[in-house]
Amino acid sequence: MSTVIKTTGLTKSYGDYKAVDSLDLNVGLGQIYGFLGQNGAGKTTTIRMLLGLIKPTSGDIELFGDSLRGKQKELLKRIGSIVEFSGFYENLTARENLMINARLMGVHKASALSEALEIVGLHQETKKLVGNYSLGMKQRLGIARAILHHPELLILDEPTNGLDPVGIKEIRRLIRSLADERKMTILISSHILSEVEQLADQVGILHQGRLLEEISLAELMKRNRTYMEFQVSNENKAALLLEQQFGIADYEVRGDGSLRIYSHLGQQGNLNRVFVQEGLEVTKMAISGETLEDYFVRLIGGGTIG
Ligand code: ATP
């Protein structure tokens, strides 16, 4: 898979304080990348460096395989973004606002406005002034502005901040459709784990300026799944019983006399009975695993993520 964002040792210091510390980020083509971290973790600082808004203290940024240095103007044209809330004219409609932005951005096709408004579901709001928009509508209008020029990469800094559950759901659906239907690569930062969990293909976890982990969501889920664990006298025989008597395929033989079974949770009594009936000694039986939330809290050393 080709890489759309690659940073190497990316660092931003303010005096002695490292807001972003030696970051190696990798965002693959077509991915929705969840950039996760508590308030103050350094997400916005990273994003501002990616967009050329502030200069890194050290390290490199490659976008679309090219170094940002020297090619900034050309590369940034291929990106759409929402970073910090930049306002709209409240006494104008969405279309009028976008028209101003389109001119500034050098987008001259009239159809680009209609298309962007339609994508974000604001095409029918022809009369309403932006001043009367809900926060969710304003956020969608922000996304419309960010995609006016058909960017290949969209960077959204906390796009659901302050939205109610309905607004959050709408933004989530929109992001998903931009990735699936428009084939955009999307980096979305958030301090809310559940948001990223429902959307991202890949997750980067930032804490105190450092990337603690970069992992696919599938791998993360696998790692954090709930399972039944049995300690038995003969694990291979137990595995055979699981398959033959229960039709269980989703299990793991650990090699230390234990098995982890990822399906049929709640049937541990039945499994135990059959194991014993078939002459196995069962020395341990437990339900283990942790929620993703538990996992992050452990990873960042005790704080909460939300
Ligand atoms: P939030 O969700 O609160 O915006 P964040 O993860 O985006 O959090 P940043 O805004 O990147 O975090 O800030 C990271 C750290 O760097 C914070 O401690 C912040 O106070 C500090 N910081 C950011 N910009 C500056 C600056 N211009 N001068 C000094 N310190 C700064």
Side-chain angles (χ1 to χ4, degrees):
M1 187 202 296
S2 56
T3 306
V4 173
I5 302 177
K6 182 177 172 61
T7 72
T8 316
L10 187 65
T11 301
K12 180 74 188 177
S13 304
Y14 293 108
D16 290 339
Y17 178 69
K18 284 186 177 170
V20 172
D21 189 1
S22 316
L23 219 60
D24 296 339
L25 275 186
N26 296 281
V27 179
L29 183 68
Q31 275 183 344
I32 298 182
Y33 187 102
F35 195 33
L36 198 65
Q38 292 169 297
N39 290 334
K43 305 180 296 292
T44 305
T45 305
T46 305
I47 288 174
R48 298 184 77 203
M49 288 192 278
L50 295 176
L51 294 171
L53 297 170
I54 53 173
K55 264 198 156 50
T57 307
S58 57
D60 290 309
I61 299 173
E62 273 180 27
L63 298 174
F64 310 104
D66 272 324
S67 170
L68 190 58
R69 265 184 232 149
K71 275 198 160 179
Q72 186 155 315
K73 207 166 163 203
E74 188 183 326
L75 292 173
L76 294 181
K77 275 191 190 154
R78 300 166 68 181
I79 305 180
S81 65
I82 304 190
V83 196
E84 288 139 16
F85 193 75
S86 43
F88 290 104
Y89 295 103
E90 304 250 311
N91 56 342
L92 299 179
T93 64
R95 174 174 277 276
E96 287 163 347
N97 265 288
L98 286 191
M99 221 155 7
I100 295 170
N101 286 290
R103 249 179 246 144
L104 290 171
M105 291 157 79
V107 175
H108 300 298
K109 259 169 83 183
S111 61
L113 299 189
S114 312
E115 198 192 338
L117 287 171
E118 179 147 5
I119 290 172
V120 303
L122 290 174
H123 53 296
Q124 277 157 350
E125 301 292 347
T126 51
K127 300 246 158 57
K128 198 180 247 182
L129 301 180
V130 170
N132 297 325
Y133 271 21
S134 68
L135 189 60
M137 290 167 87
K138 282 185 184 163
Q139 225 24 333
R140 283 189 279 143
L141 182 55
I143 294 180
R145 174 166 61 189
I147 60 174
L148 265 180
H149 59 303
H150 295 128
E152 296 153 68
L153 168 65
L154 193 57
I155 297 183
L156 306 173
D157 194 15
E158 302 256 7
T160 54
N161 237 1
L163 299 188
D164 61 21
V166 175
I168 292 177
K169 214 166 165 187
E170 278 171 356
I171 296 285
R172 204 184 291 138
R173 206 167 29 212
L174 175 56
I175 291 172
R176 177 48 65 202
S177 80
L178 290 171
D180 290 349
E181 288 156 33
R182 313 269 154 179
K183 307 292 170 216
M184 286 184 196
T185 303
I186 302 175
L187 180 137
I188 164 175
S189 82
S190 179
H191 63 280
I192 302 168
L193 170 65
S194 57
E195 232 168 62
V196 163
E197 188 184 329
Q198 290 182 49
L199 202 56
D201 308 304
Q202 180 94 355
V203 173
I205 301 158
L206 193 69
H207 185 56
Q208 295 178 346
R210 298 189 72 100
L211 195 67
L212 297 186
E213 183 142 55
E214 193 172 68
I215 186 171
S216 74
L217 204 73
E219 180 57 35
L220 197 59
M221 291 293 203
K222 207 163 114 197
R223 208 189 276 180
N224 293 282
R225 279 163 75 189
T226 309
Y227 54 85
M228 285 184 271
E229 187 158 52
F230 280 92
Q231 188 85 33
V232 290
S233 48
N234 182 338
E235 55 188 1
N236 291 327
K237 184 169 175 187
L240 210 61
L241 288 170
L242 288 180
E243 290 190 21
Q244 290 178 347
Q245 302 233 8
F246 294 94
I248 295 177
D250 198 3
Y251 68 87
E252 195 183 346
V253 176
R254 307 277 297 163
D256 58 356
S258 73
L259 294 112
R260 286 185 181 176
I261 302 153
Y262 295 96
S263 64
H264 296 64
L265 296 172
Q267 287 209 32
Q268 61 270 36
N270 275 342
L271 296 181
N272 188 44
R273 188 170 41 78
V274 169
F275 286 162
V276 173
Q277 271 170 5
E278 295 294 326
L280 290 173
E281 195 183 328
V282 179
T283 48
K284 182 186 163 194
M285 183 179 80
I287 302 279
S288 304
E290 56 186 354
T291 63
L292 281 184
E293 197 79 46
D294 292 338
Y295 173 71
F296 282 114
V297 170
R298 182 162 56 76
L299 197 65
I300 65 176
T304 56
I305 208 101

